[in-house]
Amino acid sequence: MARHTQTIGLFGSKTQPSYPGSYHLTSRGKLRRLWQIARIATRFDVVRGLTPVTMRLMLEALGPTFVKVGQILSMRSEILPDAFCKELSRLRADADPMPYQTVVNTLAREYGRPVGEVFEEIDPTPLGSASLAQVHRARLITGEDVAIKVQRPGVREIMAQDIDIMRTFAKMATRFARSAQILDLKGVVEELWDTFQTETDFMMEARNLDDFRVFCKDYAYIDCPRPYMRLCTQHVVVMDYVDGISVSHPKELLDAGYDLEEIGMKLVDNYATQVLDAGFFHADPHPGNIIIDEGRIVLIDLGMTGRLDSSTRSVLRDMLYAVARQDSPALANALLRFAGSDEKRADDYPALLNDLDAVIEQFGTVALAELNIGDFFNALMQLARRHSIEMPSSVTTVARGLITLEGTLDEFLPSTNMIEIISHHILASKSAGTRVKEEGRSLVDQGNRALHGLLGALVETKTVSKMLTRGQMKVNIELVGSEQPLQQLSDMVNRITMALIVVGLYVGSSIVYFAGIKPVIFGIPVIGLMGYVVAFILSVWIVIDIMIKNRAIKRH
């Protein structure tokens, strides 16, 4: 595991938040939390190493922040071995329920009045309990059947404390390890901060529910709970109670007369609509968040959502079809579009194409219906990081959502082929007129870029001609793949040069010998003898060098 050191900040650098100022963090509190972390790490004997199971258990013991770290790492097979990723994917942040009286006290504090003035009754037994919040069924005094999601007291401060500690360690690691191969810890911490802000602000989840209900109006088979905005706060969400069957219980669905294949097809098709058409999607579609109620697919827990602009959605479509067509240049162009402009091209475009060829060979040689979307996105993200192409955070969110949905389908709705349904959705969602319009817009756009490119080329040509006439033109040429032939040519020239020197020494020494130039030793002039010796040594060296390099060539 120690070899997997090449990682990256997933969402890029952002403005540094002020943790202590926003959450009243203190040095004493940080030391206390560090001591807790050290004790838990010691209990799991991290010095001797962790197995996948013990790593998952340790992260659960460390609390919600580290559970979130584990969930992120479970999507990063380039950081951890597959066995660890699979085990960490089981992290669902389940936790022991908090006391009912704590729930009541939290509600009273949030509303500033007795709970009985808002709720007619609250079921003391929670529907679910996670490390971040707990959900109870209740009835409003106006008679509506609702679910109350109550945030655990102090959890925001604990998570902010953990992130502040991670931020400190990230700074220290950056000072001691500046290599590009080292994990961009600051970027990871900023991603955690973004996730933390999103998931702990329940007003944001309430607004997401409200927005998603607007999207659901056009679909009879998809829905989400209605939020009661007047009762929602930063720490409490009140929404309609959904009394249905989770997709994690396929036998119950079959007993109730549902068709699992139809559920899977509609779920995936609508998810494709969310991602590729609406650009607003549920980012955590795990089984616990998908309920079947009265023939409708109800998505709950919209604390994590994603948004995509039209440009990003277009790139995602292009990437998918580039793999299907085994078109490396098209896939490269789609990736480079994330860079923002033509000037920000990859540093080594030929190397990028070579790496993309490997991705195409791995995923493009199988039928589109058999494409593993999770492995595909992971491979692309690794490649993008290797070539310094910054992928938008929204694409990472899409990848995570698709991987989660794929895992849900594989486990509970195995007859559903996600990528096949998505590809059919892309084709079916466009009428002939729409495709003609899009193709026309594409041609106009390409023509516009081509015209600007031509004008730019003319300007560059004018500049080059001026430099030529002034004698200022310099040309640097790099012949791709020419290194070995050029090296061989260089060796050949060196040998010829040495051979000429040897011949010259022999000839010159012979002239000196016949001239009888003094002093003489062994009947041979000293200068001539030295020439013969040097010529002999150089001759032996040339022969040995030729033999060594010939053997090296044969071995290769």
Short mmCIF file of all heavy atoms in Angstrom, two decimals, residues 336 338-347 388-389:
data_model
loop_
_atom_site.label_atom_id
_atom_site.label_comp_id
_atom_site.label_asym_id
_atom_site.label_seq_id
_atom_site.Cartn_x
_atom_site.Cartn_y
_atom_site.Cartn_z
N LEU A 336 -9.36 17.55 -23.10
CA LEU A 336 -8.69 18.85 -23.17
C LEU A 336 -9.68 20.00 -23.13
O LEU A 336 -9.31 21.13 -22.78
CB LEU A 336 -7.82 18.94 -24.42
CG LEU A 336 -6.57 18.04 -24.41
CD1 LEU A 336 -5.86 18.10 -25.74
CD2 LEU A 336 -5.63 18.46 -23.30
N PHE A 338 -11.84 20.35 -21.01
CA PHE A 338 -11.94 20.72 -19.60
C PHE A 338 -10.87 21.73 -19.21
O PHE A 338 -10.99 22.38 -18.18
CB PHE A 338 -11.81 19.48 -18.71
CG PHE A 338 -13.03 18.61 -18.70
CD1 PHE A 338 -12.92 17.24 -18.84
CD2 PHE A 338 -14.28 19.16 -18.53
CE1 PHE A 338 -14.04 16.43 -18.84
CE2 PHE A 338 -15.41 18.36 -18.52
CZ PHE A 338 -15.29 16.99 -18.67
N ALA A 339 -9.81 21.84 -20.02
CA ALA A 339 -8.72 22.78 -19.70
C ALA A 339 -9.16 24.22 -19.90
O ALA A 339 -8.54 25.14 -19.40
CB ALA A 339 -7.49 22.49 -20.54
N GLY A 340 -10.21 24.45 -20.67
CA GLY A 340 -10.77 25.79 -20.81
C GLY A 340 -10.47 26.47 -22.12
O GLY A 340 -11.24 27.28 -22.58
N SER A 341 -9.34 26.17 -22.77
CA SER A 341 -9.01 26.82 -24.05
C SER A 341 -7.94 26.01 -24.75
O SER A 341 -7.30 25.15 -24.17
CB SER A 341 -8.53 28.25 -23.82
OG SER A 341 -7.29 28.24 -23.15
N ASP A 342 -7.75 26.29 -26.02
CA ASP A 342 -6.74 25.57 -26.81
C ASP A 342 -5.33 25.84 -26.32
O ASP A 342 -4.43 25.06 -26.54
CB ASP A 342 -6.85 25.96 -28.29
CG ASP A 342 -8.15 25.47 -28.91
OD1 ASP A 342 -8.72 24.50 -28.37
OD2 ASP A 342 -8.58 26.05 -29.91
N GLU A 343 -5.13 27.00 -25.66
CA GLU A 343 -3.78 27.33 -25.20
C GLU A 343 -3.33 26.42 -24.06
O GLU A 343 -2.15 26.30 -23.77
CB GLU A 343 -3.73 28.79 -24.73
CG GLU A 343 -3.72 29.81 -25.86
CD GLU A 343 -5.08 29.97 -26.51
OE1 GLU A 343 -6.09 29.61 -25.88
OE2 GLU A 343 -5.14 30.44 -27.66
N LYS A 344 -4.30 25.79 -23.37
CA LYS A 344 -3.96 24.97 -22.21
C LYS A 344 -3.91 23.49 -22.60
O LYS A 344 -4.48 22.63 -21.96
CB LYS A 344 -4.98 25.20 -21.09
CG LYS A 344 -4.99 26.62 -20.56
CD LYS A 344 -6.01 26.77 -19.45
CE LYS A 344 -6.05 28.19 -18.90
NZ LYS A 344 -7.05 28.34 -17.83
N ARG A 345 -3.26 23.20 -23.68
CA ARG A 345 -3.16 21.83 -24.13
C ARG A 345 -2.24 21.03 -23.25
O ARG A 345 -1.45 21.57 -22.48
CB ARG A 345 -2.66 21.78 -25.58
CG ARG A 345 -3.59 22.46 -26.57
CD ARG A 345 -3.04 22.34 -27.97
NE ARG A 345 -2.94 20.97 -28.41
CZ ARG A 345 -3.94 20.27 -28.92
NH1 ARG A 345 -5.14 20.81 -29.00
NH2 ARG A 345 -3.77 19.04 -29.32
N ALA A 346 -2.33 19.71 -23.36
CA ALA A 346 -1.46 18.85 -22.56
C ALA A 346 -0.01 19.11 -22.91
O ALA A 346 0.32 19.44 -24.04
CB ALA A 346 -1.81 17.38 -22.80
N ASP A 347 0.86 18.97 -21.90
CA ASP A 347 2.29 19.23 -22.12
C ASP A 347 2.87 18.28 -23.17
O ASP A 347 3.73 18.66 -23.95
CB ASP A 347 3.05 19.07 -20.80
CG ASP A 347 2.64 20.14 -19.80
OD1 ASP A 347 2.19 21.20 -20.27
OD2 ASP A 347 2.77 19.90 -18.60
N SER A 388 -1.80 16.44 -15.98
CA SER A 388 -2.09 17.78 -15.45
C SER A 388 -3.31 18.41 -16.08
O SER A 388 -3.34 19.63 -16.33
CB SER A 388 -0.86 18.70 -15.62
OG SER A 388 0.27 18.15 -15.00
N ILE A 389 -4.32 17.60 -16.37
CA ILE A 389 -5.59 18.12 -16.88
C ILE A 389 -6.55 18.18 -15.70
O ILE A 389 -6.86 17.17 -15.08
CB ILE A 389 -6.17 17.21 -17.98
CG1 ILE A 389 -5.21 17.16 -19.17
CG2 ILE A 389 -7.54 17.71 -18.43
CD1 ILE A 389 -5.61 16.16 -20.24
#
